[in-house]
Amino acid sequence: MTWDPRGKVAVVTGASSGIGEATTRRLAAAGMTVYAVARRTDRLEELAGAHPTVVPHTADVTDQDAVDALAARVREEHGACHALINNAGVGGGAFGGRDDLDDALRTLDINVGGVVRCTAAFADLLEAGAPSRVVNMASVAGKLGIGPAAYAASKFAVVGFSEALSLSWASRGITVCQLNPGFIETEGFPQTQVKRTPMARLVGRPEAVADAVVDVLANGRTERTVPTFYRAFVALRHLAPPLYFAAAKRLDRAGGTRD
Ligand SMILES: NC(=O)c1ccc[n+]([C@@H]2O[C@H](COP(=O)([O-])OP(=O)(O)OC[C@H]3O[C@@H](n4cnc5c(N)ncnc54)[C@H](OP(=O)(O)O)[C@@H]3O)[C@@H](O)[C@H]2O)c1
């Protein structure tokens, strides 16, 4: 049976721009009450101004107390959560050595620590809302180690966390999905370098990922790649590694995703 979003409660982290903002708009339009979470309050209030069922909530996903306070608010106001979209994330820079350690650890703390903290804080609320969903915004970079090393490491971790939980939480009525977008043009990931290459036509829009979130929620998927053709590169990585690595070396995006 298809999962009906109308009247259900969602929490979207990283809702102040890009994929999270597009997802918040899309879920609100589908009839959900959406807690829009990020650090930039002005952006969240602007979003809520345009969508009456969007509830702005300022929180940093690296702050345990702030994440617990968010869960406490949802518990008090609704007693359950039906969809947690762990989307907050940063690209981080290149990893060249000691000078880059702080940036790498910060990237891991936001991208992995944030997902784990929020999932832990909402576990009982998701169980109360079952059948419920967790959608973790991983990446094709969580399947193929291309790009800044700490970023790829963070997304591999999100893929592993999601895959393991999708098995162990199924019996609680909670479907956990790893959602893996390819190149999407956003504030944090402007894709400037990619847009200068023949791969420019691969660069997608945040709304395509928001549509994929709706599909994942409706159909209870545990894995989704956007666009789906990236799955061919993942298959190549495992079926013909020498061919894949020859191509990957030429791509070398290890310098960072910030431009
Ligand atoms: N764009 C792509 O090509 C692409 C591809 C694959 C996966 N992804 C993933 O998609 C997700 C969204 O990225 P995006 O492309 O939409 O980038 P974006 O426009 O830069 O959005 C990132 C969001 O994360 C929030 N955020 C960052 N640090 C946070 C923190 N400590 N606490 C709470 N919120 C935080 C930001 O809000 P504030 O600054 O207001 O806190 C912002 O809303 C990320 O996890 C990213 O890794 C993106």
Side-chain angles (χ1 to χ4, degrees), residues 28-154:
M32 298 188 86
T33 295
V34 188
Y35 285 80
V37 182
R39 295 165 302 180
R40 285 172 293 177
T41 308
D42 53 334
R43 293 285 194 97
L44 301 176
E45 284 174 350
E46 203 177 308
L47 193 53
H51 299 274
T53 62
V54 170
V55 183
H57 185 102
T58 308
D60 184 328
V61 296
T62 65
D63 178 343
Q64 184 67 57
D65 291 343
V67 170
D68 287 341
L70 167 65
R73 180 181 181 186
V74 174
R75 181 175 292 108
E76 192 181 315
E77 295 176 1
H78 295 280
C81 175
H82 304 97
L84 171 64
I85 318 298
N86 281 316
N87 165 78
V90 293
F95 188 74
R98 183 64 182 84
D99 287 350
D100 303 315
L101 181 60
D102 288 348
D103 181 66
L105 293 177
R106 172 101 182 125
T107 300
L108 287 161
D109 196 24
I110 296 171
N111 294 8
V112 187
V115 170
V116 177
R117 275 184 206 98
C118 291
T119 306
F122 279 85
D124 60 339
L125 290 167
L126 289 158
E127 197 161 15
S132 54
R133 315 282 194 233
V134 177
V135 182
N136 292 330
M137 206 56 71
S139 173
V140 170
K143 298 285 200 176
L144 306 171
I146 294 179
Y151 181 72
S154 75

Side-chain angles (χ1 to χ4, degrees), residues 14 16-17 19 39-40 60-61 87 151 155 182 184 186 188 191:
S16 59
S17 63
I19 293 169
R39 295 165 302 180
R40 285 172 293 177
D60 184 328
V61 296
N87 165 78
Y151 181 72
K155 295 302 181 179
I184 306 292
T186 61
Q191 312 294 1

